Amino acid sequence: NVDLKVQHLLERLHQDKLVVAFVAEFSRGKSELINAIFFADFGQRLLPSAAGRTTMCPTELLYDASRPPSIRLLPIETRLKDASVTEFKNYADEWVTFPLDLASAEKMSEALSRVSQVKHVPVDLARKYGLFGDDDDDDILAALETGDEGNVDIPCWRHAVINFPHPLLKQGLVILDTPGLNAIGTEPELTLSLLPSAHAVLFVLAADTGVTKTDLEV
């Protein structure tokens, strides 16, 4: 519907935000780049940079002056409900919030490391969450090899919002950090809503491999 698209575009303009989505295959240095841009003053990596298929949830990095510096996390269990991530943003009690201690790099790193927390659950439950489909048998077999029989590691969190007072973020920049490309399909909103609503997508390639088959598919 053209009217809805126009309305959506007008809302985005009124928000006065510039949303840039970072997308890459695994091990392309995407999180390292975000660390270098926004957290260099801390002298160490703050966002986990060794994220794999199941070990990172989509993460928004922004600044909201009405909230204290914090990381808000949406439990993976919310995938059993009908509401989208965007809708859940209106329900504060669904999120788990941890404050950010801007004076301590160690405490900042500890708080932000939560985006890669995982839990060990039965395969059937992982399928209920929509984290493994019928086409993911190879991934399930690989996961089973690293854990107890019949169990797999899944993310603890569905989405994270980091409220951080960086000068660029204060000007209205919003960064959407996505998991590895193969994991994007596990959160429908990444492909159906959040990515298309971004004003720009920064697609990170590896210097040693160039454009890969997976890159082209995405």
Side-chain angles (χ1 to χ4, degrees), residues 43-217:
Q44 67 182 68
R45 299 184 186 98
L46 295 189
L47 272 180
S49 57
R53 177 190 159 89
T54 60
T55 55
M56 177 189 150
C57 67
T59 302
E60 284 180 82
L61 184 61
L62 50 77
Y63 180 63
D64 179 352
S66 68
R67 296 175 180 270
S70 62
I71 177 170
R72 291 187 296 143
L73 299 151
L74 185 64
I76 196 70
E77 288 78 11
T78 59
R79 290 176 65 103
L80 295 178
K81 301 179 181 179
D82 290 335
S84 66
V85 171
T86 302
E87 290 169 321
F88 272 117
K89 287 181 180 177
N90 297 317
Y91 304 107
D93 56 346
E94 296 279 1
W95 297 73
V96 180
T97 303
F98 296 93
L100 294 181
D101 184 347
L102 303 182
S104 169
E106 186 177 335
K107 290 181 180 177
M108 283 282 292
S109 179
E110 180 184 344
L112 299 187
S113 70
R114 290 182 169 91
V115 302
S116 62
Q117 285 179 322
V118 297
K119 59 174 65 178
H120 216 46
V121 302
V123 171
D124 287 346
L125 183 56
R127 288 191 188 277
K128 280 186 181 178
Y129 290 147
L131 294 174
F132 289 105
D134 294 334
D135 298 330
D136 296 325
D137 289 340
D138 290 344
D139 295 307
I140 286 189
L141 287 174
L144 291 178
E145 288 174 3
T146 62
D148 302 328
E149 187 175 348
N151 291 281
V152 291
D153 286 336
I154 65 167
C156 285
W157 312 106
R158 180 179 181 181
H159 198 83
V161 178
I162 299 170
N163 190 33
F164 179 66
H166 186 279
L168 288 173
L169 303 178
K170 286 183 176 181
Q171 292 180 54
L173 181 64
V174 177
I175 299 299
L176 174 61
D177 190 12
T178 62
L181 295 179
N182 292 344
I184 283 180
T186 65
E187 179 51 67
E189 210 166 344
L190 276 180
T191 46
L192 299 178
S193 174
L194 292 177
L195 284 182
S197 70
H199 298 91
V201 174
L202 185 63
F203 201 95
V204 182
L205 303 173
D208 56 346
T209 62
V211 182
T212 66
K213 182 172 179 285
T214 311
D215 293 331
L216 288 173
E217 286 172 354

